[in-house]
Amino acid sequence: MQKSSTWTRIALAIMILLCSVPSAAQTVPPQDSPAKIFDDAKGEFFKTIENLLLRHPRRNDLTGDEALRIYNAKADIPYLFEGVMLLAYQKDEPRFAEWLRKGDAESLKMFRQEFIDLAKEYAARFVGSLFRQSNSLEFEMALPHNRGKGRLELVLQTLGYNAKNDPPDVPLEKRFTNKIGPEFYNQWTVAALNATRAQQVSRGAGVIVAVIDSGIDPYNSLFNDRLLPGFTFVQRTQAPWQDDPVSANTVDWGWHGTVVASELMLVAPDCRILPIRMLDGDTMNDPVYPYWMYEYLAASIFYAVHHGAHIVQISAAVPSSEPVVWQAVRYAFNHNVVVSTSAGNISRWQWGLDPAQKLYRSFDHEVLLVGGVEHKHGKYMPWWGTLPGPQITVGVPAADMYMIAPIYANDMKDSFGSGTSLASPLVSGVVALMRSAAPPSDKLLAQPGAYVRLVTETLKNTARLDILGLTDPNDIVGHGLVDAYAAVERIQQTLPALGKAR
């Protein structure tokens, strides 16, 4: 099929369609309702995609088959609008929810205008995502889940179209029966963080930590009575404000979210986890066309803040250069929700990847950027696998750590692993101990970013460089190895003093 003839056919079809539809002035719309607004926004979404592609300067990068499928997307790409708008909706979800709650004509009018404008905006973002490639295109295209696929299919893959969403086959009698061995509780991480002493003061009770990842094992004894009803962004089929059969299906088929959450439990065993599934840990990883990965991340942060999280745990790169991520992180910061993120790893040497391609700019003070520490020859030292960066806040164990795997993962068992993905949840755990031991006042929380700044400064000022053989902060461990007990003790001393000063 020739591309030029394909686009000519599409243009003619659109012209005929537009000419055959009565104008708004000729028709009187029926009584507004959320369902009608949703349908109207859906029509505007697909119409905007068609119009933008017709005049896009890179439209010929698409094959003829891809162009036709996008033109017929309303029928040929099921639930595209529903999935995209679920992400778009999260930023202003409280405002939308209030309009829906009121349900009067004026509220629905505001809802209609905002939601349809949002649909048009995200139609443009979808078109743009078709042409936004990763810097390491050759590497990503070589991965098994990306190999041999076309541009459109790869974009849809990042939107979860190939994700596994099945419930695990775990009989009732097998749930919560796995034993957590002494290797987990007695690993070197606990002593390095001075966590045992800190846990004599606080174990994280009353603190909610949102774990934004690939999900979590809901039947693991480590998490028994510690999980709140979670949320998945993967493969939703309803309007954003409606219940969906898969809404609370946060089962982890990629194992990453489960092992991350296990390290959080090691430090703060009494905190509550809000699991948010933003990817599947497999087909949505290492995307060739990466835009939607950042939309998922941003939407997950907004969701966490709106649903009561005190801490947001993200074991992934959180670049400040991505506008959607920047907005979400700033939103969490202004609401005094602490965001703990991992620095990233220098890995996959065998592929010949340039580490400079993985470098990204984090945030100046809005997130905790966590680097790695290893235990070698009886000493603590910066872990060589950490992706270095000038904005790293502190360091914690990241190498040879014991982690708990999903009980239904046939190809993986509880074992040792390394990576800053395992480091960041340790810091989330320490922050949970701090907040539980010294709950911030409403007055402090009313000041945008004040509590986040306090937590950050407390961690930095109580971290130890001397134990790492260092005298100055560096780009791997920041201000030093976190001392959980010292941080808890310091914030207990600081918060009452702040109250008196005011």
Side-chain angles (χ1 to χ4, degrees), residues 152-456:
L152 175 60
E153 188 176 359
L154 289 168
V155 169
L156 294 179
Q157 186 165 277
T158 68
L159 282 164
Y161 273 78
N162 298 333
K164 186 174 183 179
N165 233 10
D166 305 329
D169 184 18
V170 182
L172 286 173
E173 65 273 13
K174 294 290 185 180
R175 298 174 184 182
F176 309 113
T177 60
N178 60 303
K179 294 182 179 180
I180 309 300
E183 302 98 328
F184 178 70
Y185 293 108
N186 299 330
Q187 58 182 297
W188 72 274
T189 296
V190 178
L193 291 174
N194 202 6
T196 300
R197 193 176 178 191
Q199 288 169 353
Q200 293 171 356
V201 180
S202 165
R203 290 168 57 87
V207 179
I208 298 174
V209 182
V211 177
I212 297 174
D213 214 292
S214 59
I216 200 165
D217 175 3
Y219 306 129
N220 200 301
S221 59
L222 183 64
F223 309 123
N224 194 15
D225 296 325
R226 290 290 172 264
L227 298 182
L228 296 169
F231 188 81
T232 184
F233 282 94
V234 182
Q235 294 185 348
R236 290 256 314 197
T237 62
Q238 303 296 320
W241 54 87
Q242 291 180 319
D243 289 334
D244 191 289
V246 302
S247 292
N249 179 12
T250 56
V251 171
D252 179 17
W253 286 109
W255 65 258
H256 193 269
T258 297
V259 302
V260 164
S262 73
E263 301 306 319
L264 168 65
M265 286 284 99
L266 180 66
V267 177
D270 288 351
C271 77
R272 303 296 295 277
I273 296 176
L274 174 65
I276 300 176
R277 187 173 184 242
M278 63 159 277
L279 75 168
D280 65 348
D282 184 14
T283 63
M284 296 169 74
N285 281 7
D286 297 302
V288 179
Y289 294 87
Y291 178 76
W292 292 106
M293 176 177 64
Y294 300 116
E295 286 280 359
Y296 271 105
L297 179 57
S300 298
I301 295 172
F302 284 122
Y303 183 91
V305 175
H306 294 154
H307 289 81
H310 302 119
I311 302 162
V312 171
Q313 163 55 42
I314 305 170
S315 284
V318 182
S320 62
S321 57
E322 289 290 339
V324 291
V325 176
W326 186 91
Q327 286 182 325
V329 167
R330 288 293 303 182
Y331 188 83
F333 176 80
N334 288 333
H335 284 75
N336 278 307
V337 175
V338 178
V339 180
S340 177
T341 69
S342 57
N345 310 320
I346 300 174
S347 58
R348 292 167 169 162
W349 297 95
Q350 72 272 24
W351 288 91
L353 293 176
D354 181 358
Q357 288 189 353
K358 299 186 70 179
L359 292 175
Y360 63 97
R361 192 183 191 284
S362 185
F363 290 78
D364 293 321
H365 53 262
E366 293 88 347
V367 305
L368 299 173
L369 186 63
V370 182
V373 170
E374 64 179 330
H375 190 220
K376 207 170 185 179
H377 309 303
K379 297 180 180 179
Y380 300 130
M381 59 188 69
W383 181 51
W384 61 267
T386 304
L387 191 68
Q391 293 159 309
I392 289 181
T393 313
V394 288
V396 293
D400 301 316
M401 299 163 64
Y402 199 80
M403 53 192 185
I404 306 300
I407 61 175
Y408 48 83
N410 296 326
D411 56 346
M412 183 185 179
K413 302 299 178 186
D414 298 350
S415 62
F416 290 90
S418 301
T420 57
S421 284
L422 304 176
S424 179
L426 298 178
V427 172
S428 291
V430 173
V431 176
L433 300 185
M434 295 165 67
R435 181 164 182 135
S436 181
S441 66
D442 291 341
K443 191 172 183 179
L444 181 62
L445 293 176
Q447 303 170 50
Y451 180 68
V452 177
R453 289 180 184 273
L454 174 62
V455 167
T456 302

Side-chain angles (χ1 to χ4, degrees), residues 4-60:
S4 58
S5 61
T6 298
W7 285 108
T8 300
R9 289 166 56 198
I10 291 175
L12 288 171
I14 291 175
M15 289 175 63
I16 293 170
L17 179 64
L18 292 175
C19 291
S20 64
V21 175
S23 68
Q26 296 172 316
T27 61
V28 179
Q31 180 66 37
D32 236 345
S33 68
K36 184 176 188 308
I37 293 170
F38 184 79
D39 286 342
D40 290 348
K42 190 172 187 177
E44 291 293 336
F45 176 81
F46 288 109
K47 185 167 68 175
T48 301
I49 288 175
E50 294 164 0
N51 290 338
L52 288 175
L53 276 178
L54 278 174
R55 61 177 185 268
H56 199 284
R58 293 182 58 190
R59 68 187 188 190
N60 287 329

Side-chain angles (χ1 to χ4, degrees), residues 121-144:
E121 168 63 26
Y122 269 75
R125 296 187 188 196
F126 176 75
V127 171
S129 72
L130 295 167
F131 306 101
R132 183 174 174 180
Q133 298 174 346
S134 66
N135 290 330
S136 49
L137 173 67
E138 185 178 352
F139 166 70
E140 266 90 20
M141 284 299 293
L143 296 174

